[in-house]
Amino acid sequence: MALLGAAAALVVLGFLVVGAFDALALLVPMRVERVAAMVLVGVAIAVSTVLFQTVTENRILTPSIMGFDALYALIQTSAVFFLGSGTVNGLAPPLRFAVEVAAMLVFSFLIFRWVFGGARRSLYLVVLVGIVFGVLFRSLATFMQRVIDPNEYLIVQDRLFASFNAVDPTLLVVCAAVVAVASAWVWSRRRELDVLALGRANAVTLGLEHHRSTMAVLLVCALLVSVSTALVGPITFFGLLVANLAYLVAGTHRHAYVLPVASLLAVVTLVGGQTILEHVFGLDTVLSVIVEFVGGIVFIMLLVRGGRR
């Protein structure tokens, strides 16, 4: 873990200074906001994915399967479809951020309350309902994208890819506070999470209030995913990638090790990858495209490996 911490500090320093030696005073402050966004999003996605896999007892699931990405796409498409890109671009970033976070939180709370708060209390039913709503949101968004002006369509597509290039500093402060509070809450319950990972029957036998703990973890997952998605956009497979790497590197299921390892791996991957992409290969492509490609391959490998067992 110490090596990962050193690697994370090194890639952050490298992102700030590589290629900026001639104008450190000018370029470093501009890059601080971007690296802060990458660190916050990396930690939020890593922690939320580990938590979601703990309560669902499934290593190939991420919170995005609940329809968060599809809802974000629907919000962006609906805003441009009904208001026009000019009006949407004129809205204050904090207002757009608040609306997007509120919509995703209300959606997740209603699903958790409706499906998991009833007598059945099945997590699999929660995931299934999330998938169904995700398909619905994606279908509605696709329909509107097909009938809007082609120029508006390009603007919508640009908003659906995660980007760290233009993050509002005010939102960074809000996100930092949310991620810090949520991470502190998760860390204080790391031993309880170890019990949850044993499965419902074992957790109940050991005296854990399984329903209450699971509901609390799901709400924290929804909060972290909503904040990170509203800040930079959706990154579907990134959490799957770093969470499974964290289990491999940590060599244990204990959350006292898996959570910090996953967070550090996320920072190294995002910041290091963006540094290499920009300053070694000189590419302007957003890193999320490559992350989605690699994460998709990892997802297929996990499915194939699971099928052989």
Side-chain angles (χ1 to χ4, degrees):
M1 195 181 300
L3 288 176
L4 271 177
L10 190 61
V11 295
V12 169
L13 180 63
F15 182 84
L16 293 176
V17 301
V18 170
F21 295 107
D22 296 334
L24 282 175
L26 175 64
L27 295 179
V28 170
M30 295 171 60
R31 294 181 179 181
V32 166
E33 294 177 0
R34 294 180 61 197
V35 79
M38 285 187 272
V39 170
L40 289 174
V41 169
V43 172
I45 292 180
V47 172
S48 62
T49 304
V50 171
L51 293 180
F52 194 73
Q53 292 182 348
T54 296
V55 296
T56 57
E57 304 172 49
N58 195 315
R59 295 279 183 85
I60 64 171
L61 294 182
T62 69
S64 62
I65 200 171
M66 297 296 301
F68 290 105
D69 295 356
L71 179 57
Y72 177 81
L74 179 61
I75 293 172
Q76 299 299 327
T77 307
S78 301
V80 174
F81 183 84
F82 290 109
L83 302 177
S85 59
T87 303
V88 174
N89 291 332
L91 296 174
L95 176 60
R96 293 205 309 263
F97 177 82
V99 171
E100 291 163 3
V101 171
M104 287 185 275
L105 282 178
V106 169
F107 164 69
S108 57
F109 177 77
L110 290 177
I111 284 188
F112 298 154
R113 183 71 179 172
W114 172 44
V115 182
F116 197 63
R120 288 165 292 187
R121 296 182 177 181
S122 169
L123 269 175
Y124 295 105
L125 187 59
V126 173
V127 173
L128 182 61
V129 171
I131 293 173
V132 171
F133 273 103
V135 173
L136 173 64
F137 296 152
R138 196 169 292 108
S139 300
L140 291 173
T142 302
F143 171 75
M144 284 188 279
Q145 289 169 15
R146 287 182 180 276
V147 297
I148 61 176
D149 182 86
N151 294 322
E152 303 278 70
Y153 172 78
L154 293 177
I155 294 173
V156 171
Q157 287 300 306
D158 185 59
R159 289 176 172 274
L160 299 185
F161 286 97
S163 174
F164 300 93
N165 293 330
V167 179
D168 190 281
T170 307
L171 301 183
L172 280 177
V173 176
V174 176
C175 289
V178 171
V179 173
V181 172
S183 299
W185 182 89
V186 171
W187 182 254
S188 69
R189 283 162 173 77
R190 58 191 182 280
R191 297 181 181 85
E192 186 176 315
L193 292 169
D194 292 339
V195 178
L196 268 179
L198 298 175
R200 184 180 184 281
N202 290 323
V204 172
T205 302
L206 292 171
L208 185 69
E209 180 54 57
H210 184 269
H211 177 261
R212 187 184 63 184
S213 299
T214 302
M215 181 67 88
V217 170
L218 288 174
L219 290 175
V220 171
C221 280
L223 178 63
L224 290 172
V225 174
S226 302
V227 167
S228 64
T229 304
L231 182 65
V232 299
I235 310 179
T236 305
F237 288 114
F238 181 65
L240 178 75
L241 182 67
V242 296
N244 282 280
L245 281 176
Y247 291 121
L248 190 64
V249 172
T252 175
H253 293 184
R254 293 182 59 190
H255 290 77
Y257 297 96
V258 173
L259 286 169
V261 168
S263 300
L264 291 172
L265 281 172
V267 173
V268 171
T269 304
L270 273 184
V271 182
Q274 193 68 43
T275 304
I276 294 173
L277 200 65
E278 290 184 11
H279 303 295
V280 176
F281 296 108
L283 299 177
D284 293 330
T285 305
V286 290
L287 180 64
S288 61
V289 176
I290 299 175
V291 169
E292 299 290 21
F293 175 72
V294 176
I297 293 175
V298 172
F299 178 71
I300 294 173
M301 290 173 59
L302 290 172
L303 285 179
V304 172
R305 191 175 67 175
R308 289 176 178 173
R309 290 179 177 175

